[in-house]
Amino acid sequence: MKPVHIIGGGLAGCEAAFAVAHAGVPVVLHEMRPTRPTAAHRTGRLAELVCSNSFRSDDAETNAVGVLHRELRRLGSLVMRAADAHQVPAGGALAVDRDGFAEAVEAAILAEPLIEIAREEVTGLPPEEWGPTIVATGPLTSEPLAQSLLQLTGETSLAFFDAIAPVVYFDSIDFHVAWRQSRYDKVGPSGDAEAYVNCPMDREQYGAFIDALLAAEKTEFKEFEGTPYFDGCLPIEVMAERGRETLRHGPMKPVGLTNAHKPDTKAYAVVQLRQDNALGTLFNMVGFQTKLKYGEQARIFRMIPGLQNAEFARLGGLHRNTYLNSPRLLDARLRLKARPQIRFAGQITGCEGYVESAAIGLIVGRLTAAETLGRPLDPPPSTTAIGALINHICGGHIEAIDAGPRSFQPMNVNFGLFPPIAPAPEQKRLRGPERGLQRKRLLSARARVDLDGWAGVDFSAS
Ligand SMILES: Cc1cc2nc3c(=O)[nH]c(=O)nc-3n(C[C@H](O)[C@H](O)[C@H](O)COP(=O)(O)OP(=O)(O)OC[C@H]3O[C@@H](n4cnc5c(N)ncnc54)[C@H](O)[C@@H]3O)c2cc1C
């Protein structure tokens, strides 16, 4: 049987290789380190963690990444097995001894008779004769391969930096203060003149907000990240440094909007939020890409009227990150539409995080193996954490027509990506945080049942 080629022996590549081999299909895993290093990896080991040693919350009842842990364990994930075996104390989080973890993953890959490791850089698109190939080269994909991908996919389809604006859960916005309206009531292609959520500020509130931005702690760019301010994607705090009124003439301009609660009072500035996913559960803060520290973001953005109780599905950031415009380029099984023999996995698809990258690796491994064995498989349903993530990557995100080519941004798993669930009548009586927790428990319980159903499908060679 022809082997599946996997490029990149990081979290996604190792998980994919393990899944393919376990289905009885041979693998050639191409990893360029240590021959060719990246700017963030420090060793030649497979599955090296480049930064934090945390896999985040292990709470599978009320935390979406905890649900993802549970699903990965259920599916026999190599990354989770190694993480569980090399845990270090971290309260409710799953944190690992990074050396022990990487050694365990590498040892398992080396022990797998169906996996051959090729320690080499792949410097161009996989040749046609390779057949099924998974590209899992991560946020630091080497330059020659990235350039080849750029040529294949086009200028606007491969990004080298993410410019992430915070994303808010829709149901945490206070609509006694905020209101829905598109600027100048402009009707969009969907016939909607109320596409945006608007949060008004008076002169004092705006002044206090600018003061807070200027005083806030910022994260620095790492040396290898260079100076990635591009296409007018300036962080808001940099805009504020250029002049106190700059934001009011940029992303916070108040023109073309009438406050539905106080029609006679003109706002001094307005923060707009735009729908981020097809489900309508997540809204992003328009033009609010930022390098502020996470704690500062939550504190300062809750100063915005209407967002005083905001819950954030994702905070803002600006990083070196190679990733595809996946909703455009990939089909629902993560195949490149232009060359379906090539699949992508891990952070390069537009998920964010160690666990998410491993999860996409595992599923892409299974999908590839199933197809190679002539038993094509659908990804898990979008009611599961893995399915919700795939749905974000392959089409759940809304491509805003006025947001430029980079409107698709990487995302951690979060409950806002799951299709909503209706509470039972007795649960409707709950209020505040209890109600939110109950919703998460229901989403988690539904995910468990639906993932079990999917996991039961056998497609392996034996
Ligand atoms: C600096 C930095 C810090 C991060 N910190 C965190 C964090 O703290 N927590 C978190 O959850 N996520 C973090 N991330 C995001 C992300 O979760 C990790 O990058 C994660 O490792 C992605 O997994 P992956 O398998 O997609 O890529 P990687 O784990 O990076 O694996 C990709 C592999 O492909 C290899 N490769 C690249 N190009 C080629 C080529 N042409 N030929 C052969 N091999 C190639 C690389 O050497 C690497 O081993 C960080 C990302 C970066 C860049």
Side-chain angles (χ1 to χ4, degrees):
M1 195 187 302
K2 243 180 143 174
V4 170
H5 288 263
I6 300 178
I7 312 174
L11 293 162
C14 289
E15 195 74 75
F18 198 68
V20 173
H22 268 224
V25 177
V27 176
V28 180
L29 178 60
H30 305 259
E31 170 52 56
M32 67 179 187
R33 291 177 294 114
T35 326
R36 168 91 159 73
T38 79
H41 292 85
R42 294 282 162 262
T43 73
R45 283 213 188 286
L46 301 178
E48 179 184 332
L49 302 179
V50 280
C51 188
S52 147
N53 65 333
S54 174
F55 282 32
R56 319 202 309 277
S57 173
D58 201 32
D59 168 8
E61 298 307 311
T62 61
N63 191 297
V65 78
V67 177
L68 193 56
H69 289 177
R70 183 179 70 201
E71 293 183 0
L72 284 171
R73 290 186 180 111
R74 170 74 178 84
L75 297 174
S77 153
L78 169 61
V79 163
M80 288 307 292
R81 194 176 84 190
D84 286 337
H86 293 276
Q87 281 188 49
V88 295
L94 172 62
V96 304
D97 171 306
R98 64 179 72 242
D99 295 326
F101 167 78
E103 272 169 37
V105 174
E106 185 162 301
I109 295 285
L110 286 169
E112 198 47 66
L114 283 176
I115 303 179
E116 176 193 331
I117 303 184
R119 291 279 183 176
E120 63 189 13
E121 179 184 7
V122 176
T123 53
L125 294 175
E128 296 273 0
E129 60 271 20
W130 275 11
T133 302
I134 300 171
V135 181
T137 45
L140 306 172
T141 296
S142 76
E143 193 59 25
L145 179 56
Q147 286 306 326
S148 306
L149 289 172
L150 193 65
Q151 274 167 22
L152 179 71
T153 59
E155 190 73 28
T156 57
S157 293
L158 187 75
F160 292 97
F161 287 94
D162 53 37
I164 295 178
V167 172
V168 174
Y169 289 106
F170 179 74
D171 58 11
S172 69
I173 301 171
D174 181 355
F175 279 97
H176 294 103
V177 180
W179 77 98
R180 304 274 311 239
Q181 185 189 8
S182 299
R183 218 180 278 285
Y184 300 111
D185 299 311
K186 211 169 163 185
V187 179
S190 58
D192 188 352
E194 299 188 338
Y196 289 79
V197 172
N198 302 286
C199 299
M201 279 186 186
D202 62 24
R203 183 188 281 267
E204 281 84 313
Q205 288 164 332
Y206 179 77
F209 183 71
I210 298 296
D211 288 341
L213 277 182
L214 294 175
E217 274 193 89
K218 287 107 191 163
T219 47
E220 297 303 322
F221 281 108
K222 302 259 172 23
E223 211 172 290
F224 70 88
E225 291 182 310
T227 309
Y229 299 148
F230 55 85
D231 293 353
C233 267
L234 281 182
I236 49 161
E237 61 277 11
V238 174
M239 282 192 246
E241 277 162 14
R242 293 189 174 177
R244 294 184 66 86
E245 295 294 295
T246 308
L247 278 170
R248 215 171 76 75
H249 295 289
M252 293 175 72
K253 59 179 178 284
V255 299
L257 296 166
T258 305
N259 187 335
H261 307 291
K262 295 181 186 168
D264 298 329
T265 310
K266 185 85 194 138
Y268 191 71
V270 172
V271 175
Q272 287 202 302
L273 294 95
R274 178 171 51 220
Q275 188 169 335
D276 198 77
N277 64 342
L279 297 171
T281 50
L282 301 174
F283 272 65
N284 66 62
M285 297 174 66
V286 179
F288 265 56
Q289 55 279 351
T290 174
K291 286 287 280 179
L292 295 184
K293 289 204 164 156
Y294 280 176
E296 295 284 67
Q297 289 188 36
R299 179 177 67 79
I300 294 173
F301 297 151
R302 286 191 186 122
M303 290 171 71
I304 298 168
L307 299 188
Q308 65 277 8
N309 300 318
E311 292 297 328
F312 295 93
R314 180 178 75 188
L315 286 163
L318 208 59
H319 308 100
R320 170 83 170 83
N321 191 2
T322 314
Y323 68 98
L324 301 169
N325 190 354
S326 296
R328 271 204 199 148
L329 297 176
L330 305 186
D331 70 12
R333 291 182 184 159
L334 294 111
R335 288 176 298 206
L336 192 62
K337 289 176 193 162
R339 267 186 71 182
Q341 291 272 60
I342 304 179
R343 277 192 158 86
F344 287 83
Q347 181 120 343
I348 197 167
T349 62
C351 65
E352 168 80 29
Y354 299 147
V355 190
E356 288 84 347
S357 297
I360 301 300
L362 188 150
I363 294 304
V364 168
R366 284 197 175 204
L367 297 180
T368 310
E371 205 164 275
T372 308
L373 294 166
R375 300 179 198 176
L377 189 67
D378 285 326
S382 62
T383 47
T384 63
I386 300 177
L389 207 49
I390 293 177
N391 194 39
H392 166 71
I393 293 167
C394 298
H397 166 82
I398 288 199
E399 181 91 10
I401 32 166
D402 53 350
R406 289 196 179 84
S407 109
F408 175 66
Q409 294 289 341
M411 183 72 110
N412 285 124
V413 70
N414 64 75
F415 281 121
L417 299 178
F418 292 54
I421 196 163
E426 66 277 13
Q427 286 151 351
K428 282 191 183 152
R429 281 196 289 277
L430 297 172
R431 286 281 164 267
E434 264 313 306
R435 191 181 169 112
L437 280 176
Q438 189 57 28
R439 185 180 71 89
K440 291 173 181 172
R441 287 195 186 102
L442 289 173
L443 292 171
S444 163
R446 181 180 66 181
R448 183 199 290 268
V449 173
D450 290 356
L451 197 270
D452 276 349
W454 187 84
V457 180
D458 182 22
F459 60 88
S460 61
S462 51

